[in-house]
Amino acid sequence: MNDKSLTLQQAVEQIKEEFTVTSEKLSQLTNHFTELMSIGLSKDPSENTKGLPMIPTYVTKIPTGSEYGVYLAADLGGTNFRVCSVRLNGDSTFKLDQTKSRIPEDLLEAGTSEELFGYLAKKIDTFVKNGNHHADQIDEDKSHKLKMGFTFSYPVSQTALGAGTLLRWTKGFKIADTVGKDVVQLLQEQLDKIQSPVHVVALANDTVGTLLSHAYSTGATPNGKQGDAVIGAIFGTGTNGCYLEPIENITKLGQEYIQQLKSKGVTHMVINTEWGSFDNELKYLPTTEYDVNIDKASTNPGYHMFEKRVSGLFLGEILRQILVKLNAQGVLFPQWRSFDRLPEKLRTPFNLDSEVLSHIEIDDSSNLRETELTFNQKLRLPTTEEERLAIQQIVRAISRRSAYLAAVPLAAILMRTKALEGYHKEVEIGVDGSVVEYYPGFRSMIRHALALTPLGPDGERKIHVLIAKDGSGVGAALCASTVV
Ligand code: BGC
């Protein structure tokens, strides 16, 4: 629509309104999340395809900080692949050596799983053999395999600690032939093919790694008491969280298995919620035309609808879509009269990343000079001061909606687990990911929103949202350490 009667500021006010998440909305979403958690715990992914996956991870113990030993860890979570050697010192500290490589673009959409997992296996093997890592362990006994934990940060339906089939790809990967296959097996096959001395013994989601490494780093006390970490969460390229659920509530595990675990003294299991898929049916999530466009253009339309409103991969694209729309309305960049004439960089989907937004968010230079520079450099786009002021308001509306929505699963899990009940009870949430770590004010916006959820300001005061570094590496090593 080319609405010439609209001024830029009026258009911005409309957008701000669309992106506002009220306290009523937060309560509604929190209650809905709670309902979907119960359904997810009782139904298998095959009967709950659009629901909240609530995946049992087979991790039944939280580290105390006294875990000890040297383990390998591999981490595939986004555009990078890391291989790490982790030395757990048994006193909450660790030493980590790693190599990092960027996944070649063509492998994101590789024709076969073999190409991707073959690439990963070679990287692991090179690290082990060339980096002098674990050389002593290999040389001592040629048949001895090194235990490795594999952090694989995509929705996987786990069937054991060391096995799980991919439900679907997220975050830009698109290799159809991997869906439905066991990713541990795929990696092990490629490692065996090149006779690598590595045995993949544990599979972990990055949120599980974050929870475990946070507990390891903060939990050790002289008597080995457990820390107070109750949720592990990621707000980065993607978003997700995990927490501990009493075993008897995970009814989809089947009564027989639950009794078996209980007889071994198991009381809880970590659940990977895959909250990126919260409200895929869009019953209550706020939805703008930009969200609709992004979903249509995504690799997984109809899924991960929450993630598409919250995580770093999408924030820049939401802004780009809005700028294009304002141009079409004739209120922004009027020197370009049609979409085809806009600078190519602004026409290209996913060309703006959340880092750009983070600069604009806190730009307090006079006349928003920093924003002017950012637009010149990243998009070759000259801007007027009025335009920059408008863009900053839009950026703040997008990030606030993201952070407010981010509070929903946190509040719902704390309510379900009654984690805040008890005299002077305080809890820790271990978080990792580029958005929560580097986006200015993101954590304090989450806190504002937590106070507006049913937890209220009293609940919010008892919550500590703490950055947990290196969860994917240390967490995978901790998982591997539990396998004897
Ligand atoms: C994946 C999760 C992962 C999250 C954060 C999401 O896209 O589905 O498994 O934990 O990103 O990396």
Side-chain angles (χ1 to χ4, degrees):
M1 184 191 66
N2 200 336
D3 185 356
K4 296 286 184 205
S5 59
L6 202 67
T7 66
L8 178 56
Q9 191 52 40
Q10 282 167 341
V12 169
E13 292 303 333
Q14 281 178 6
I15 291 164
K16 280 162 65 178
E17 172 84 32
E18 269 186 287
F19 277 76
T20 300
V21 181
T22 61
S23 157
E24 291 71 44
K25 187 50 121 187
L26 285 170
S27 294
Q28 192 182 51
L29 286 165
T30 307
N31 292 333
H32 191 45
F33 196 98
T34 315
E35 277 167 46
L36 296 185
M37 283 173 91
S38 298
I39 298 174
L41 287 170
S42 63
K43 287 194 177 168
D44 226 48
S46 59
E47 309 165 309
N48 188 29
T49 46
K50 284 246 156 174
L52 200 54
M54 302 294 284
I55 299 167
T57 62
Y58 299 84
V59 172
T60 54
K61 265 201 340 230
I62 294 293
T64 59
S66 58
E67 291 70 16
Y68 188 82
V70 183
Y71 299 92
L72 266 179
D75 169 24
L76 181 70
T79 40
N80 291 316
F81 180 58
R82 282 197 309 156
V83 190
C84 324
S85 168
V86 185
R87 178 178 294 278
L88 303 171
N89 295 326
D91 59 358
S92 279
T93 66
F94 61 86
K95 184 170 175 300
L96 185 141
D97 288 325
Q98 63 168 7
T99 55
K100 205 177 189 176
S101 53
R102 207 180 161 78
I103 305 282
E105 283 284 323
D106 53 328
L107 285 186
L108 298 180
E109 300 194 11
T112 63
S113 311
E114 222 180 307
E115 288 171 61
L116 173 67
F117 287 89
Y119 169 88
L120 305 184
K122 274 195 207 112
K123 291 282 171 199
I124 295 168
D125 196 53
T126 310
F127 178 78
V128 171
K129 290 186 178 151
N130 295 353
N132 215 13
H133 301 289
H134 308 268
D136 47 342
Q137 283 160 290
I138 302 170
D139 289 346
E140 269 169 27
D141 171 4
K142 295 261 186 243
S143 65
H144 180 81
K145 294 245 175 188
L146 298 171
K147 282 185 201 163
M148 189 178 83
F150 182 25
T151 300
F152 184 79
S153 307
Y154 303 89
V156 160
S157 171
Q158 263 182 271
T159 44
L161 184 63
T165 55
L166 180 66
L167 291 171
R168 54 185 161 267
W169 284 111
T170 58
K171 298 179 288 196
F173 268 99
K174 197 182 179 182
I175 309 169
D177 123 281
T178 319
V179 177
K181 293 203 179 129
D182 184 335
V183 292
V184 171
Q185 221 174 338
L186 288 174
L187 181 57
Q188 190 65 59
E189 274 165 21
Q190 295 302 319
L191 285 163
D192 293 347
K193 215 168 168 178
I194 54 172
Q195 291 168 349
S196 190
V198 176
H199 185 199
V200 191
V201 293
L203 179 65
N205 184 261
D206 51 357
T207 58
V208 179
T210 300
L211 180 67
L212 299 192
S213 76
H214 181 76
Y216 175 80
S217 304
T218 57
T221 61
N223 59 5
K225 180 188 154 292
Q226 218 165 274
D228 289 325
V230 291
I231 299 177
I234 304 279
F235 298 102
T237 309
T239 182
N240 188 15
C242 71
Y243 73 102
L244 270 178
E245 181 70 45
I247 200 88
E248 60 273 15
N249 295 342
I250 316 171
T251 54
K252 64 183 172 184
L253 287 174
Q255 279 314 316
E256 204 179 314
Y257 185 58
I258 291 176
Q259 289 317 320
Q260 222 177 311
L261 289 174
K262 280 190 148 180
S263 67
K264 290 183 192 154
V266 171
T267 57
H268 289 75
M269 187 182 281
V270 176
I271 294 291
N272 166 15
T273 65
E274 283 295 337
W275 70 41
S277 262
F278 165 50
D279 200 13
N280 280 336
E281 284 168 347
L282 297 182
K283 214 162 161 191
Y284 299 113
L285 271 180
T287 299
T288 65
E289 62 183 275
Y290 320 105
D291 302 312
V292 173
N293 293 342
I294 285 177
D295 182 48
K296 271 196 206 140
S298 71
T299 51
N300 53 358
Y303 290 95
H304 264 40
M305 300 308 244
F306 181 73
E307 177 161 288
K308 286 170 187 159
R309 285 147 180 78
V310 172
S311 80
L313 184 58
F314 303 98
L315 300 183
E317 179 58 8
I318 298 176
L319 174 63
R320 194 194 67 82
Q321 297 250 358
I322 294 177
L323 299 184
V324 169
K325 161 91 187 285
L326 292 177
N327 174 259
Q329 287 179 318
V331 290
L332 195 72
F333 314 136
Q335 64 273 43
W336 288 293
R337 304 252 165 112
S338 72
F339 178 78
D340 298 337
R341 294 198 186 152
L342 279 172
E344 202 206 327
K345 287 182 181 280
L346 189 59
R347 281 188 279 128
T348 312
F350 291 93
N351 201 28
L352 262 182
D353 54 39
S354 50
E355 198 194 326
V356 170
L357 277 74
S358 69
H359 294 310
I360 302 172
E361 174 92 25
I362 45 160
D363 185 3
D364 59 359
S365 57
S366 58
N367 311 329
L368 298 180
R369 282 273 305 146
E370 303 267 341
T371 301
E372 183 174 26
L373 274 174
T374 306
F375 269 82
N376 275 334
Q377 280 167 3
K378 302 270 177 190
L379 296 175
R380 304 246 175 288
L381 198 66
T383 46
T384 64
E385 187 183 353
E386 189 203 1
E387 287 173 336
R388 293 193 291 277
L389 280 166
I391 293 167
Q392 188 175 54
Q393 294 175 65
I394 297 167
V395 163
R396 290 178 175 171
I398 297 171
S399 63
R400 179 175 292 260
R401 184 183 74 159
S402 158
Y404 272 40
L405 292 178
V408 166
L410 303 179
I413 293 173
L414 293 175
M415 280 161 61
R416 177 180 172 90
T417 53
K418 303 190 170 44
L420 294 175
E421 286 180 14
Y423 188 60
H424 285 319
K425 188 82 203 312
E426 305 212 344
V427 295
E428 287 177 7
I429 299 178
V431 293
D432 197 1
S434 50
V435 174
V436 75
E437 201 178 348
Y438 302 119
Y439 199 95
F442 199 82
R443 261 193 295 167
S444 51
M445 289 192 282
I446 292 184
R447 302 204 68 101
H448 290 157
L450 281 170
L452 297 174
T453 67
L455 293 176
D458 285 346
E460 183 270 329
R461 271 194 286 276
K462 297 177 180 174
I463 303 167
H464 303 276
V465 181
L466 302 170
I467 299 288
K469 290 293 289 172
D470 265 320
S472 305
V474 181
L478 285 161
C479 277
S481 79
T482 64
V483 180
V484 280

